[in-house]
Amino acid sequence: MSFKHVFTPVQLRHKQLKNRIVFGAHTTNMARDGLPGDQHLAYYEERAMGGAAMIVVEPMPVHAAAVLTRGNFRHSSDDVIPHFARVTQACKAHGTVMIQQLYHVGAHGDWDNSWHANWSPSGGPSYHDNDGSHAMTEDEIEETIQGFVDAAIRCQKSGFDGVEVWAAYHCLLDQFWTPFSNQRTDQWGGSLENRTRLSREIMARIRAACGPDFIIGLSVNDDSDKPVCLSHDEMVEIVALHDAQGLMDYVTVGAGSYFDFYKLLPSFQYAENLGADLAERLKQANLTALVTAEANIRTPDNANTVLGAGRADLVSIVRGQIADPHLVAKAERGAHEDIRGCLSCNQQCWGRRGRDYYISCLVNPSAGHEYLWGGDRFTPAQAPKTVLVVGGGPAGLECARVAAERGHRVILAEAGPELGGQFRLAGLQPRRAQITDLIGWYERQLRQLQVEIRYNTYLDAEDVAAIGADHVILATGSTPPETGFQKALPHVARLPGIEGGQVWSIQDVMTRAARLGNHVVLVDEGGNWRGIGTAWHLAEKGHKVTLVTPDAMVGRELARSATDFPARATLAGLGVRFVTESALTRWSDAGAEVMSLLTGQSEIIAADSLVLATANTPETALAQELREMGIEATSIGDAAAPRLAAAAIHEGRKTGLTL
């Protein structure tokens, strides 16, 4: 596949970008005591090594009021300079242009992290939490301008080639632009000239302070379907005003905002290439600045299409390069099928960042651990051995791949006719085909690495012993319990009436083993895609679905990945009934007896079938047999403890590195 539009160099002020792919800004939350360290260095250098033409390092708060996360860098301090210099020097050695984003979130700050009142144009409410904000005085506006300029000077001293001024997602500068949040009557509010005065003054002073050989970018967003947000026409007018005054060298266009945070981190529930619509409008405005499209652009093919259609000059692929830091290099050498695709799941990038951890990646557990594992690359084993991996789910696939990459002879025994295990079943849920794509990637990688895959091969302890492998890895997975036990009712070991039949697991549903009636009650105690995706599947198939959960809201665990609201909206649109803070107390021919955990009152929901999305139990029989025979084996993934796929792939990688 040719990506000629991607691999055409382009001039950006005093620098030539070797291709059109940017690794855009995103908070990794890795800072320790406010300083970038070895973890940052290895993370960004891996993407520079992987071919990104430009990296926009995560945002630097420009003032105490701008601090948002525990992992933010120290604001207003020269202490960061030598630490950033290590990062820029290492990345620029690979021909990568280095930019740092400067930000101030305005009203949407986090007092618990900043220990400072949120500042905003007119004292509007925070959409980060329920706090209010402080309407800035003119002196405070001047203090903020100087904070941006001082931060840019530090970036230049740190070896950055430029800065990106953050005016996206209804942050401080966007709050000044937007009439909803700017009701000022002084020189900073009212007319377009006044509302853009702050951003224009910041950029003009950065240019004056840093000189001509310094790139200045502007970050904006498209959330034009929200009535209070700026329309495409208004955004084009604002950006064109900055461009006409020669204030910027490029503009980056994202999607969503604090008003629609789910679209800011668009999951697989959203269409691809979200940022390209407004980017295209800006391109049509004949700006002198380059236009970068961002938001759910995952692949080189996406990028090439957007660039080839003239919708943008550059494309920012963030999650795609978290998932595979060598995405650009692989595409350039014609190995695009070797690219490990992002699932757009948000489970370990935003899912960890949103809980104030450093980010990682479900499909690439080296993300965030490059400094510990030597990047997303492998050191050959000193003494290659024979490795037997039992089970072809995500843990087994990753362990087999890594062991083979390191030079071991690997045998992978899978009891079924296909690889993927329960992870494959997740890929059969609506809009989750990226999972089956990933399994296909594993199949290709294992073939290239000459892993011996034995399908339909169920091994007992004697079979394992007969193979005589040097290392035995058990990735045998987990199974659904058949008791109906619910964590909400710990004193009830077995659901009364479960022996009456028409009770199925979500695995039964997705393998089509279940013979379901019209009305299905689904008990979801996990609050994640195991239950939610199965309910979506059933509703799309025409079943009447009632979802019962002990949680206060459906999809509670999906909140960490910013996918919960779109999931609930989809289910509601399909007619799924939600019964929250409740548990099942009996199953019978009459249906499900459901008790409110709040009041203790019960109701009967007439239903034909019951589906249980409850915690699995690990498959340990083979491990026990091997122990009794004195054969050492390592259990990973669900076979060690049932969890989500991210844990399984992480353990597969970690185990493969130790063999």
Side-chain angles (χ1 to χ4, degrees), residues 388 390 457-466 622 625-626 629:
L388 171 63
V390 184
T457 301
Y458 178 86
L459 299 181
D460 59 22
E462 292 184 354
D463 296 326
V464 172
L622 180 56
E625 292 175 9
L626 291 173
M629 294 180 64

Side-chain angles (χ1 to χ4, degrees), residues 10 12 17 19-25 54 56 99 164 169 215-222 239 248-255 273-280 282-283 287 289-295 297 303 306-307 310-318:
V10 63
L12 178 60
L17 303 185
N19 59 61
R20 305 297 181 101
I21 301 296
V22 178
F23 188 48
M54 184 166 81
V56 186
I99 307 291
E164 181 176 285
Y169 311 128
I215 297 166
I216 300 176
L218 182 67
S219 175
V220 302
N221 69 290
D222 180 0
V239 174
M248 63 190 186
D249 302 299
Y250 74 89
V251 57
T252 294
V253 183
N273 305 338
L274 286 181
D277 291 342
L278 178 55
E280 184 174 20
L282 291 172
K283 278 284 291 177
L287 306 179
L290 299 182
V291 178
T292 305
E294 191 173 64
I297 302 174
V306 169
L307 295 168
R311 305 181 75 187
D313 301 297
L314 301 167
V315 166
S316 173
I317 299 179
V318 177

Side-chain angles (χ1 to χ4, degrees), residues 203-519:
M203 297 170 79
R205 291 199 202 175
I206 289 175
R207 173 63 66 216
C210 295
D213 289 341
F214 195 69
I215 297 166
I216 300 176
L218 182 67
S219 175
V220 302
N221 69 290
D222 180 0
D223 201 14
S224 54
D225 56 342
K226 292 292 181 293
V228 299
C229 293
L230 298 169
S231 68
H232 279 190
D233 288 342
E234 291 170 316
M235 191 62 78
V236 170
E237 184 179 16
I238 288 171
V239 174
L241 176 61
H242 289 73
D243 186 69
Q245 295 181 11
L247 296 173
M248 63 190 186
D249 302 299
Y250 74 89
V251 57
T252 294
V253 183
S257 71
Y258 272 94
F259 296 112
D260 189 357
F261 203 78
Y262 302 97
K263 194 185 291 183
L264 198 157
L265 305 153
S267 70
F268 61 86
Q269 297 151 293
Y270 290 91
E272 295 187 335
N273 305 338
L274 286 181
D277 291 342
L278 178 55
E280 184 174 20
R281 285 291 309 275
L282 291 172
K283 278 284 291 177
Q284 293 169 350
N286 296 316
L287 306 179
T288 58
L290 299 182
V291 178
T292 305
E294 191 173 64
N296 224 22
I297 302 174
R298 299 185 308 113
T299 67
D301 191 37
N302 288 155
N304 200 59
T305 299
V306 169
L307 295 168
R311 305 181 75 187
D313 301 297
L314 301 167
V315 166
S316 173
I317 299 179
V318 177
R319 287 175 298 177
Q321 291 185 87
I322 297 175
D324 193 331
H326 300 276
L327 174 150
V328 179
K330 289 178 181 179
E332 187 169 24
R333 67 172 183 259
H336 64 278
E337 288 196 344
D338 290 336
I339 295 171
R340 179 178 48 222
C342 168
L343 302 184
S344 301
C345 67
N346 292 346
Q347 289 184 26
Q348 292 286 288
C349 49
W350 174 250
R352 286 181 56 85
R353 155 68 183 86
R355 289 178 290 158
D356 213 17
Y357 306 148
Y358 63 83
I359 68 169
S360 189
C361 178
L362 185 152
V363 304
N364 175 25
S366 74
H369 302 118
E370 292 89 355
Y371 74 120
L372 298 174
W373 292 353
D376 194 35
R377 290 157 284 121
F378 304 103
T379 302
Q382 292 184 350
K385 301 291 182 64
T386 298
V387 178
L388 171 63
V389 178
V390 184
L397 290 172
E398 181 67 2
C399 185
R401 182 184 77 88
V402 173
E405 287 272 15
R406 298 187 60 230
H408 294 294
R409 174 184 174 244
V410 180
I411 301 169
L412 175 62
E414 165 55 43
E418 296 178 303
L419 298 177
Q422 294 182 54
F423 198 39
R424 179 179 287 277
L425 301 183
L428 300 179
Q429 293 177 345
R431 294 190 63 84
R432 302 194 74 192
Q434 291 169 10
I435 292 175
T436 54
D437 291 343
L438 178 64
I439 295 169
W441 176 84
Y442 271 113
E443 291 172 335
R444 292 193 300 274
Q445 297 303 301
L446 296 183
R447 282 198 303 269
Q448 291 175 21
L449 294 166
Q450 298 183 328
V451 172
E452 181 184 345
I453 304 175
R454 301 179 182 180
Y455 294 99
N456 299 307
T457 301
Y458 178 86
L459 299 181
D460 59 22
E462 292 184 354
D463 296 326
V464 172
I467 292 173
D470 299 299
H471 298 286
V472 177
I473 309 300
L474 301 181
T476 48
S478 61
T479 56
E482 298 180 352
T483 61
F485 172 78
Q486 299 159 82
K487 292 184 292 184
L489 302 173
H491 59 289
V492 181
R494 185 176 180 84
L495 176 67
I498 193 172
E499 65 281 348
Q502 273 300 309
V503 181
W504 311 94
S505 68
I506 57 173
Q507 288 84 353
D508 293 329
V509 173
M510 298 313 302
T511 57
R512 295 187 289 185
R515 297 294 178 260
L516 301 170
N518 177 57
H519 187 180

Side-chain angles (χ1 to χ4, degrees), residues 389 395-396 399 473-477 634-641 643 648 651-653 655:
V389 178
C399 185
I473 309 300
L474 301 181
T476 48
T634 302
S635 295
I636 62 174
D638 275 13
R643 289 151 293 166
E651 286 181 1
R653 173 75 67 93
T655 302

